[in-house]
Amino acid sequence: SDVTIKNDADGIVLEVPTGTTNVEITSGNLVIGTSGKGIDFSATSDAGNMTSELLDDYEEGTWAVQDTDGGGSNQHGMYTKIGNLVTCHFSFTTGAISGSDTFYLTNLPFTVGGSDAFRGAVSIAYTNATNMPLGGNVSEGETKAYLLIGTGDIATDDEIGSSKVIAGSMIYRV
């Protein structure tokens, strides 16, 4: 190799192979040590009204999806955050809810961005709810997702029902 960097145990950790301009990490990870820094793609200069070509965040994790009253059971939530885009998958059983209060999912892993442009969609993959929610949306500046029933209205607790399974996904910006 033209360039080789080794650790104190004489193991190769980074090299530029002969005849190439590529950098190869042969052991370990590339660690971004300063918040707000990342991989800069500005050399691509794609057309459009771009606001950034810096990939400065990546995260995977789990979250405890909850219903209107902060309850529910069998809570399973996974998310991936790439830059400012969050994709969530969830499945849970509603708690003991009733009445005409607005039904929503709460405790999203990140607060939705603060303008209408950050709203995102909720897709329902499975439910045995009293009235079938068709989908929904997340609302700016909150950690909530609202479900819409067949009439296009936001669902109420009675329309979803107690001990009902809801599974789906959502995507939004922070």
Side-chain angles (χ1 to χ4, degrees):
S1 293
D2 288 337
V3 176
T4 300
I5 297 176
K6 296 182 176 187
N7 61 19
D8 56 357
D10 204 32
I12 297 173
V13 293
L14 188 135
E15 62 186 345
V16 178
T18 302
T20 73
T21 57
N22 297 323
V23 175
E24 183 178 328
I25 299 172
T26 56
S27 178
N29 297 310
L30 175 62
V31 177
I32 308 298
T34 304
S35 179
K37 302 297 181 188
I39 302 170
D40 188 338
F41 292 96
S42 61
T44 61
S45 297
D46 296 325
N49 294 324
M50 69 185 132
T51 58
S52 177
E53 291 194 38
L54 182 68
L55 177 58
D56 61 355
D57 195 9
Y58 179 86
E59 182 177 330
E60 295 179 12
T62 61
W63 59 289
V65 59
Q66 297 177 341
D67 65 23
T68 305
D69 299 317
S73 61
N74 300 316
Q75 302 163 324
H76 305 284
M78 299 174 292
Y79 71 87
T80 302
K81 181 176 182 279
I82 303 172
N84 67 356
L85 185 65
V86 179
T87 303
C88 303
H89 302 278
F90 61 88
S91 177
F92 74 105
T93 303
T94 61
I97 56 175
S98 64
S100 59
D101 290 339
T102 299
F103 178 87
Y104 53 86
L105 308 180
T106 187
N107 197 37
L108 300 183
F110 299 94
T111 301
V112 180
S115 73
D116 290 353
F118 290 86
R119 288 186 181 176
V122 177
S123 174
I124 304 300
Y126 172 82
T127 184
N128 63 352
T130 304
N131 286 324
M132 181 70 72
L134 300 175
N137 68 292
V138 297
S139 190
E140 68 276 359
E142 297 184 336
T143 57
K144 297 178 183 176
Y146 298 91
L147 301 185
L148 304 174
I149 59 170
T151 60
D153 294 327
I154 294 175
T156 63
D157 290 346
D158 280 344
E159 290 170 326
I160 297 297
S162 294
S163 301
K164 301 298 182 179
V165 176
I166 301 174
S169 60
M170 65 185 86
I171 188 166
Y172 64 94
R173 294 198 177 274
V174 295

